[in-house]
Amino acid sequence: MKSDIATVYRSAWAFALACPLLFLIPVLVELAQHVVEWRAGMYDGIAGAKAAEADPLRLQFGFAKTLALLLPGYWFTRYILFGFDARRAARIEWPAIGLWLILFALNGVQQWWTLFGPSLTGLMGLSGTTAQWTGYALVLFSSIAGIYFMAWTVAWALGNAAIGPIRSVRIMAGSFWRTILLLLAGVLPLMIAHYALSFGAIFAPAILDWPLLLLDALVVGLLALTMAGSNAIAARHAAAVKGKDLRPEPAVARGLAGTL
């Protein structure tokens, strides 16, 4: 476990240096959201933060940020599982890009619904305490499903269409708690830093706002990588336990298999 955690963070730094333009995409989107927040007065104190919280333009940039955070699910996943090959990681490769775009679109719709769509509990006709606990249950179910579908999402970014949702559940079964621990280790430290810097900009003197927000954007860029990296390494470990490989078979091997 310790070596996997170390690999997540070391790989994130190495990728940021090897592919700075890709690393900077989530960073720049986060910075753009900070500009919108700053102009809305979010960093003028508690009152300004509360007033700017529901700003429509801020929410739109927040949606763009969630999409940007999904992008390393393609290139950083490939970087880790294709032997830290930066060129192959960044390559637009078929069928990997097509498969990954399907998942990206599904995630994008889910994120849009979360930010702008109607409440699912409301559509179910629920209200009050019942709606609240049903909402918690839906979030829990979604989180658990995300763990068991992890091998699927990782395999498709690599171009392996043979692993779908059902095979993914079979692969991840038995690695549930280890996966959760790895995800927490890969996400929590940078998530805490992200919120600390954001709140720091609200309470700090105005002269410190932009240094803190710039640092926060860089932290978010690394967070996007460690989230994707934790998924990739967790899925790789679960597959190895089951004697599976998430990577697609080489073309030659597929051709030989077809002749047998």
Side-chain angles (χ1 to χ4, degrees), residues 11 15 19 22 70-101 152-161 224-225 227-233 235-236 245-248:
S11 301
F15 182 85
C19 302
L22 297 180
L70 294 173
L71 297 179
Y74 179 76
W75 55 61
F76 193 55
T77 295
R78 294 165 59 80
Y79 177 73
I80 288 180
L81 297 187
F82 284 143
F84 309 105
D85 184 340
R87 289 187 177 181
R88 187 170 185 186
R91 188 182 305 158
I92 304 301
E93 190 175 78
W94 189 263
I97 189 61
L99 295 170
W100 177 81
L101 281 173
W152 169 33
T153 59
V154 169
W156 276 26
L158 304 177
N160 185 359
L225 296 178
M227 286 192 298
S230 298
N231 287 357
I233 290 176
R236 180 179 66 182
D245 192 343
L246 299 177
R247 296 170 298 181

Side-chain angles (χ1 to χ4, degrees), residues 3-186:
S3 63
D4 283 348
I5 295 170
T7 298
V8 170
Y9 285 95
R10 281 200 305 264
S11 301
W13 283 108
F15 182 85
L17 295 175
C19 302
L21 294 180
L22 297 180
F23 165 70
L24 285 174
I25 293 175
V27 174
L28 293 176
V29 176
E30 176 73 5
L31 270 179
Q33 186 183 25
H34 284 330
V35 170
V36 171
E37 292 169 339
W38 180 77
R39 294 186 64 181
M42 187 164 192
Y43 302 106
D44 293 340
I46 291 294
K50 289 182 178 179
E53 188 175 11
D55 181 82
L57 187 59
R58 175 181 178 271
L59 293 177
Q60 291 172 19
F61 272 88
F63 174 60
K65 180 178 73 173
T66 62
L67 297 182
L69 290 173
L70 294 173
L71 297 179
Y74 179 76
W75 55 61
F76 193 55
T77 295
R78 294 165 59 80
Y79 177 73
I80 288 180
L81 297 187
F82 284 143
F84 309 105
D85 184 340
R87 289 187 177 181
R88 187 170 185 186
R91 188 182 305 158
I92 304 301
E93 190 175 78
W94 189 263
I97 189 61
L99 295 170
W100 177 81
L101 281 173
I102 294 172
L103 299 174
F104 179 78
L106 292 174
N107 275 297
V109 169
Q110 181 185 14
Q111 294 296 333
W112 180 90
W113 191 283
T114 300
L115 286 172
F116 307 111
S119 167
L120 289 177
T121 55
L123 292 176
M124 295 165 64
L126 302 176
S127 61
T129 304
T130 303
Q132 184 179 20
W133 284 103
T134 302
Y136 293 153
L138 289 172
V139 171
L140 179 61
F141 175 79
S142 176
S143 300
I144 293 173
I147 298 292
Y148 282 105
F149 288 159
M150 196 171 289
W152 169 33
T153 59
V154 169
W156 276 26
L158 304 177
N160 185 359
I163 296 179
I166 295 175
R167 289 191 65 186
S168 180
V169 171
R170 292 172 180 167
I171 289 171
M172 298 305 299
S175 298
F176 181 82
W177 293 110
R178 188 184 193 279
T179 298
I180 288 180
L181 291 175
L182 182 56
L183 292 178
L184 290 175

